[in-house]
Amino acid sequence: MSIPPPFRHLVDDAAIFPPGLAPLPDAVAAHAAHLRSDHAALVGPFLVDAARLDDLGALAPAGLAVSVVVPAPDAVTDVVARAGAAGLVLAGLEVKLGGAGAPGAQVAQVAELSAGSGVPTHVEVPRVTDPAWPAVLDAVLAHGLRLKFRTGGTEAAAFPSEAEVGGWIEAAVAHGVPFKCTAGLHHAVRHTGPATGFEHHGYLNILLATARALAGAPVAPVLAERDGPALARAVALLPPEDLLAARAAFTSYGSCSILEPLEDLTALHLLHPTDVHPTDVHPTDVRTTD
């Protein structure tokens, strides 16, 4: 299988996080199988929280690329040291804010503690309706960090509106700050979860919205689009350089399943059906119910 450049390393493996909650040994085995498969180029690093970093080091092969979810700014130094001691390749840091100190000061601390690591460092930002959002954005820009947008969760309130996601994307693009997304992007196209009623954003909507923002066009209609074939056609008609520029801005997203994004891209004819083989299906890959 040949994964087209716009979709390479799009999906970070978040199998151990909700709603998948795969046991760590199963998730590591499934990740290794994905990296041996024909769709390996779709897959980004293995996502792990700092609390399970040592357990992962004991299970994973040396050299496994990981992105670590860091619970607070002051934990960055410890995480970097533990990842190195475990023989893991630290591909990213995804730092949550919270606790003492103004948000801008917390971002500055993240920058200071991660500066020597050479690792792409994302700061999980507040909602655009939160008074702290402008200060966090300014601090991330000032310190050369990246943004992380939480696009869903395990309850309806965790899903930001189309306007909120659009505000994030437009701000990131306007300031030239790369971003990734996490949670809720189970499928390519915006939809209502049949089991939960949650309003899920689609990763293809976000990719196209990013391209529209780069072109100075409105993003709201794209984020609201629920017609999969129409969305796929719009993506396919983008000039290749525009699509690659959108991916440089929207670097990746975390998913508890690798196969669902693969199957969606195939169903939307953005990958050829003959490229997907039965051997690509791994029993430990966690499927969502949405």
Side-chain angles (χ1 to χ4, degrees), residues 5-6 8 10 122 146 172-173 176-180 207 210-211 214 240-252:
R8 289 178 188 167
L10 174 65
H122 295 78
R146 300 184 177 199
V173 166
V177 182
F179 68 91
K180 70 167 295 184
L207 178 61
T210 304
L214 285 164
E241 61 272 20
D242 291 358
L243 200 48
L244 290 177
R247 270 304 312 280
F250 170 32
T251 59
S252 66

Side-chain angles (χ1 to χ4, degrees), residues 216-227:
V219 303
V222 174
L223 291 170
E225 181 62 69
R226 293 170 181 263
D227 184 330

Side-chain angles (χ1 to χ4, degrees), residues 38-233:
D38 288 345
H39 59 264
L42 179 69
V43 185
F46 187 89
L47 296 181
V48 64
D49 51 297
R52 287 180 280 187
L53 187 57
D54 296 335
D55 292 339
L56 177 62
L59 288 169
L64 176 70
V66 300
S67 189
V68 184
V69 178
V70 184
D74 60 5
V76 167
T77 301
D78 177 65
V79 164
V80 172
R82 287 165 56 205
L88 302 168
V89 173
L90 192 56
L93 294 167
E94 304 180 15
V95 187
K96 296 183 177 182
L97 303 181
Q106 292 184 49
V107 174
Q109 184 181 24
V110 172
E112 178 184 358
L113 296 180
S114 64
S117 69
V119 176
T121 300
H122 295 78
V123 173
E124 185 172 324
V125 303
R127 305 277 278 263
V128 296
T129 52
D130 190 314
W133 158 241
V136 171
L137 174 62
D138 289 346
V140 166
L141 179 64
H143 293 286
L145 302 177
R146 300 184 177 199
L147 300 166
K148 178 181 176 180
F149 304 148
R150 181 164 294 276
T151 48
T154 56
E155 56 185 24
F159 289 78
S161 68
E162 295 157 15
E164 289 180 273
V165 174
W168 276 334
I169 292 173
E170 289 173 335
V173 166
H175 291 88
V177 182
F179 68 91
K180 70 167 295 184
C181 296
T182 188
L185 296 179
H186 298 161
H187 290 287
V189 183
R190 183 167 181 81
H191 66 283
T192 303
T196 62
F198 297 164
E199 295 296 326
H200 290 260
H201 298 280
Y203 65 82
L204 209 57
N205 297 78
I206 288 178
L207 178 61
L208 184 57
T210 304
R212 294 284 191 260
L214 285 164
V219 303
V222 174
L223 291 170
E225 181 62 69
R226 293 170 181 263
D227 184 330
L231 191 63
R233 282 193 299 272

